[in-house]
Amino acid sequence: MSSPPAVTRLFGRVPSFSFEFFPPRSEAAAEALHCVICDLQELSPSFVSVTYGAGGSSRELTRALVERIQRERHIPTVPHITCIGHSREEIEAILENYVKAGARAVLALKGDPPRSCADALKRGAFEHAAELVRFIRRWEERRRLGSPLTIGVAGFCEGHPAEPNRLKEMDYLKEKMEAGANYICTQLFFDNHAFFDFRERCRMAGITQPILAGIMPVTSVSGMRRMAELSGGTNFPARLLKALRRARGDAAAIEKAGIHYASSQCAELLDNEVDGIHFYTLNKSRATREIYRNLGIRSSHDANSPQDQPLTP
């Protein structure tokens, strides 16, 4: 099945390569991130995404970063948008600001409530991402944008932390796709078998949209511990842990081992015809550039075999 036109315009080619950033909270951090974006632009990403803080806490920062990337770097930009704590009117205003900033795609998420307001979910217009996707589709029809937004949603290879029933979880994911989502971007994972199994179960469920693999290289032990806290159930395979243990606490060796492991993951994903790889960069460029070098590619264009032609609308 060919990709829908909205996906084609965003990805441009298969496999796609994309990067995620989070909004900086100071002028110095903003300038540092701008340098990172300039550095990674040389790799010709299909798009970049910008995160959205819990309960919309970085709402204006997200919009400002999207606007700057679109204005100064001209890279297709995908801002996140969440259900948590927002009324319909607020979501419409957020969408309007994103479109005015130049975005033609969003990643629609349920989101996390801010720690200072645990009941934010109850005060929002929607409880689930499928409802948000459906609302965005109705909004763009009323707005008469001319062409539909590309909408991505989250997928969880190793299971959603809030839904232990994996059969129901797949039903919920299918509902998001049927509501109008164009593609799935997975939570970070370190076990490719989990991704391949997830992809196969999606296809069995009739989900045919592209599935992007979320990759975050381990560059420090402290960073890995934070991942374990935030990612909700991500498996850290023994092979990865053994590689990090061999580094014997040496920071440079740990980073090298983590990048090597992520490079191996990406190579296997590409060999098995992944639709795309989405790098969680943590606003840094070194690890991603090293992975590209280890894969033997100078930019994402080189990842396509000669017989593969870019998709056209």
Side-chain angles (χ1 to χ4, degrees):
M1 178 178 178
S2 61
S3 297
V7 174
T8 299
R9 285 194 294 274
L10 179 64
F11 294 173
R13 56 191 175 276
V14 177
S16 67
F17 285 78
S18 52
F19 312 133
E20 180 174 287
F21 306 117
F22 59 84
R25 294 185 176 274
S26 69
E27 187 174 335
E31 290 311 307
L33 176 57
H34 183 66
C35 291
V36 167
I37 294 171
C38 292
D39 195 26
L40 290 178
Q41 188 172 14
E42 296 177 4
L43 303 180
S44 303
S46 302
F47 67 92
V48 298
S49 68
V50 181
T51 66
Y52 193 77
S57 56
S58 67
R59 173 172 163 179
E60 289 305 313
L61 296 174
T62 298
R63 183 201 56 77
L65 181 55
V66 170
E67 189 174 53
R68 183 174 185 181
I69 294 173
Q70 293 289 127
R71 182 181 68 248
E72 298 182 13
R73 309 315 311 172
H74 309 293
I75 307 171
T77 308
V78 182
H80 293 195
I81 184 168
T82 67
C83 299
I84 297 292
H86 290 319
S87 67
R88 287 174 170 81
E89 292 75 20
E90 287 174 323
I91 291 173
E92 287 186 348
I94 293 165
L95 290 169
E96 190 67 39
N97 284 332
Y98 285 166
V99 169
K100 287 181 178 177
R104 290 298 178 267
V106 294
L107 188 66
L109 307 167
K110 179 177 180 178
D112 300 311
R115 292 179 182 178
S116 60
C117 187
D119 67 341
L121 180 59
K122 298 178 183 178
R123 296 192 287 106
F126 309 116
E127 290 187 27
H128 305 290
E131 297 173 286
L132 177 59
V133 172
R134 198 172 293 112
F135 179 81
I136 294 171
R137 288 297 180 216
R138 290 170 180 166
W139 173 82
E140 69 183 7
E141 287 178 9
R142 296 194 305 273
R143 180 63 168 71
R144 297 182 179 179
L145 293 179
S147 59
L149 295 173
T150 300
I151 302 178
V153 293
F156 297 80
C157 300
E158 296 168 318
H160 194 291
E163 180 50 76
N165 186 325
R166 302 302 299 279
L167 298 179
K168 282 187 178 180
E169 180 193 18
M170 187 56 65
D171 290 340
Y172 296 150
L173 180 58
K174 188 171 183 179
E175 184 182 358
K176 289 192 283 188
M177 310 318 292
E178 291 175 346
N182 298 108
Y183 72 96
I184 298 165
C185 187
T186 75
Q187 171 70 282
L188 66 92
F189 63 91
F190 299 98
D191 183 353
N192 280 0
H193 295 295
F195 174 83
F196 295 137
D197 180 76
F198 172 75
R199 183 174 66 176
E200 187 171 356
R201 287 186 290 112
C202 284
R203 300 315 183 212
M204 290 173 64
I207 296 172
T208 59
Q209 290 88 342
I211 303 172
L212 312 188
I215 297 295
M216 182 187 288
V218 173
T219 55
S220 69
V221 172
S222 61
M224 183 178 69
R225 296 190 186 282
R226 284 196 299 273
M227 287 182 213
E229 288 291 331
L230 298 174
S231 58
T234 297
N235 177 41
F236 293 84
R239 186 166 66 90
L240 170 60
L241 298 178
K242 287 179 180 178
L244 297 175
R245 179 177 292 183
R246 284 195 293 271
R248 298 183 181 277
D250 181 86
I254 288 171
E255 181 182 45
K256 185 175 181 179
I259 291 172
H260 176 79
Y261 186 91
S263 301
S264 177
Q265 270 192 279
C266 291
E268 185 179 29
L269 290 167
L270 292 170
D271 288 345
N272 285 274
E273 300 182 342
V274 69
D275 293 316
I277 298 177
H278 189 66
F279 292 95
Y280 296 106
T281 69
L282 297 179
N283 287 10
K284 298 178 181 179
S285 62
R286 174 181 166 81
T288 302
R289 293 190 69 91
E290 286 295 322
I291 291 170
Y292 268 64
R293 291 192 189 98
N294 291 343
L295 293 173
I297 56 179
R298 292 163 297 178
S299 78
S300 55
H301 291 288
D302 296 336
N304 298 92
S305 60
Q307 67 268 26
D308 290 334
Q309 298 297 321
L311 297 173
T312 55

